[in-house]
Amino acid sequence: MKEIGVPASEAGQRLDKYLKKYMPVAGNGFIYKMLRKKNITLNGHKSDGKEILKEGDRIKLFLSDETIEKMRAAGGTAPDKRSKKEPEADKIFSAIKILYEDEDLLFIDKPAGLLCQEDGSGALSVNDWLRAYVDDHEASEAKTYRPAVCNRLDRNTTGVVMVAKTYAGARFLTDMIKEHKIRKYYLAVEEGEDLPQGRFEAYLSKERSINKSEVLFKEAYAKLLEHT
């Protein structure tokens, strides 16, 4: 038997969804069967899995240690690239400034040169920094939610990046973005010849082979389309 205390970071989600993340190898049929047979209970009572978890709730798994270990086999944290690139990580991560933080949210000022999320190149990202800043301070076997960025900025763009530290924070920011209650503004620095005053419409064109984007005004973008 194993008993799990629900941490604050997991509160606000359904029990069945939490169990699927806690035991990623277990299928839906197995989880609901264990709930029906009271092999998994919530606060000492039978559950159908639809209950919304609260901090401090107690989940009991009346399963053998071998079964739990097998069902959690795909769990665990991803390798920490920071340990492999200590000098580079210390230099880049030290430039990150925390603008606001509470129990659920974290807003940072992302420096240029740092990815928001992994892109397959092996380069460091804000999510790597989060593993060191948030996960290491709040490590718990009961945690299934991984803090992650909720908005992305290009690698060479500086600006505010919003992070959800908890499941509740993720839902809040997701709803705010969907309802257009959060707006994103960019400031561009001009170098060279002065541009005339006015409103300009341009497009982003990405060269995927080198993972680089450039801004093209309408005329240049139209010519690009002619040759694609």
Side-chain angles (χ1 to χ4, degrees):
M1 192 274 286
K2 186 176 187 63
E3 185 172 1
I4 303 168
V6 176
S9 60
E10 304 294 334
Q13 62 182 309
R14 282 174 36 153
L15 171 61
D16 53 358
K17 294 184 181 298
Y18 172 78
L19 291 171
K20 292 172 189 176
K21 290 184 288 184
Y22 185 78
M23 299 186 292
V25 176
N28 291 343
F30 175 83
I31 289 176
Y32 292 121
K33 180 179 180 180
M34 294 301 100
L35 287 169
R36 288 195 304 271
K37 296 179 66 175
K38 292 184 66 174
N39 287 339
I40 299 178
T41 63
L42 177 63
N43 296 324
H45 301 286
K46 184 177 180 179
S47 169
D48 61 10
K50 297 179 181 179
E51 294 83 356
I52 302 299
L53 295 176
K54 302 183 298 296
E55 181 181 4
D57 279 348
R58 312 301 297 183
I59 301 170
K60 288 186 178 180
L61 308 177
F62 294 95
L63 306 170
S64 68
D65 292 342
E66 292 77 11
T67 298
I68 295 173
E69 183 178 353
K70 177 182 177 181
M71 296 303 176
R72 284 179 56 79
T77 58
D80 186 0
K81 295 198 289 284
R82 185 182 188 282
S83 61
K84 300 178 182 179
K85 301 182 178 182
E86 284 290 346
E88 179 186 354
D90 289 340
K91 180 180 179 180
I92 295 178
F93 291 168
S94 63
I96 294 178
K97 297 179 182 179
I98 296 175
L99 305 175
Y100 173 82
E101 182 176 11
D102 60 26
E103 293 182 353
D104 301 304
L105 307 175
L106 175 67
F107 291 4
I108 66 171
D109 184 6
K110 186 190 81 67
L114 181 62
L115 291 167
C116 282
Q117 298 174 320
E118 294 82 352
D119 65 351
S121 67
L124 293 164
S125 70
V126 173
N127 280 341
D128 292 312
W129 174 79
L130 285 172
R131 294 189 184 106
Y133 182 79
V134 179
D135 288 357
D136 288 355
H137 289 81
E138 302 178 6
S140 169
E141 185 189 13
K143 282 189 61 177
T144 62
Y145 176 79
R146 298 296 303 278
V149 299
C150 293
N151 68 302
R152 291 182 294 176
L153 295 178
D154 289 341
R155 182 172 189 164
N156 292 320
T157 301
T158 64
V160 178
V161 172
M162 302 180 296
V163 174
K165 294 170 59 179
T166 65
Y167 179 81
R171 287 191 60 182
F172 171 77
L173 287 178
T174 298
D175 290 343
M176 293 288 283
I177 292 171
K178 285 183 178 179
E179 295 170 10
H180 304 289
K181 293 181 178 179
I182 295 178
R183 296 184 179 182
K184 184 188 296 185
Y185 295 92
Y186 287 93
L187 290 177
V189 178
E190 177 197 350
E191 182 179 0
E193 183 179 351
D194 289 338
L195 289 173
Q197 297 295 314
R199 179 183 178 91
F200 302 92
E201 184 176 352
Y203 299 84
L204 280 177
S205 174
K206 184 171 184 177
E207 179 56 58
R208 298 191 179 277
S209 61
I210 58 175
N211 196 30
K212 185 176 181 180
S213 298
E214 63 177 330
V215 176
L216 298 177
F217 287 98
K218 294 184 68 174
E219 295 78 7
Y221 187 72
K223 291 182 179 179
L224 177 65
L225 293 178
E226 291 177 0
H227 295 85
T228 58

